[in-house]
Amino acid sequence: MGCLKLAVIVLLEPCRVEDKHNVLGFSYNGIPCKGLGWASEAMENTLALGFRQKDAWDNGNYDVDISLLDEDGNELPLTSGCKHVVSPDGVETHRDFLLKNINMPTNGKVLSKRTAKLFPHLKFAEQASDQLDKIKDSAVVQQIYWRLSDLEEWRLTPPHLSRRKSSNIKRHRNQRHAAGCHN
């Protein structure tokens, strides 16, 4: 495999260096790969763009080895998946990921302002909107966004078509209520 230079599309907020200070390096099969590493699900959960090379680096997904330092200064290895694109077909492969992430708010204030458009079947109490306004951590906003997306999708499923057990339905109703949603 030859050397590969990658560019990373950051769909969410730019990487905050203070949160990533414990990274020692990234590799795939022993080959350093910063672009794949930073784009991996464990780091930025975005998409890596590669340059087409003959018979190299043409997969749509890679498992990247990441070497981190823990709080005690010990090396902590982990492996994380990474989405990778080198062609228009590759973009099509990751279409769902791109469509979901392209509209994802990066802070609570933006999420709060866009709830009506993003989740038209959920209604938010004023207190819930106020709480969303105060969230600054993009990772927290991302988790809330995915949970609300799940609730929006669940809200659109007619009860007679639902395959969930009644305990799951009650759990979702409780989650919807806890999120400040009504109906």
Side-chain angles (χ1 to χ4, degrees), residues 20 29 32 49 56 80 83 107 125 127 130 134 142 166 175:
K20 313 297 185 203
N29 287 342
L49 292 178
S80 178
K83 296 160 209 62
N107 65 60
Q127 297 88 343
D130 291 344
K134 296 174 185 169
Q142 182 179 10
S166 61
Q175 289 170 341

Side-chain angles (χ1 to χ4, degrees), residues 65-96:
D65 295 318
I66 302 172
S67 183
L68 304 168
L69 287 178
D70 67 13
E71 293 175 358
D72 298 325
N74 299 314
E75 187 171 345
L76 178 69
L78 73 103
T79 301
S80 178
C82 177
K83 296 160 209 62
H84 179 249
V85 171
V86 293
S87 69
D89 290 338
V91 172
E92 197 57 40
T93 299
H94 299 295
R95 180 189 255 328
D96 290 341

Side-chain angles (χ1 to χ4, degrees), residues 13-77:
E13 286 187 349
C15 172
R16 295 187 315 235
V17 176
E18 67 271 10
D19 292 343
K20 313 297 185 203
H21 68 277
N22 60 343
V23 174
L24 293 175
F26 308 103
S27 65
Y28 174 75
N29 287 342
I31 301 168
C33 58
K34 287 183 183 178
L36 289 174
W38 285 114
S40 70
E41 294 163 1
M43 302 308 287
E44 290 295 315
N45 193 24
T46 187
L47 186 74
L49 292 178
F51 299 104
R52 189 181 295 268
Q53 298 180 22
K54 186 173 181 165
D55 300 324
W57 299 100
D58 55 0
N59 291 335
N61 294 287
Y62 287 94
D63 287 327
V64 180
D65 295 318
I66 302 172
S67 183
L68 304 168
L69 287 178
D70 67 13
E71 293 175 358
D72 298 325
N74 299 314
E75 187 171 345
L76 178 69

Side-chain angles (χ1 to χ4, degrees), residues 121-128 155 176-183:
H121 297 92
L122 303 178
K123 295 190 181 182
F124 294 81
E126 187 176 332
Q127 297 88 343
R155 182 70 171 91
R176 192 175 66 193
H177 179 70
C181 308
H182 304 288
N183 274 358

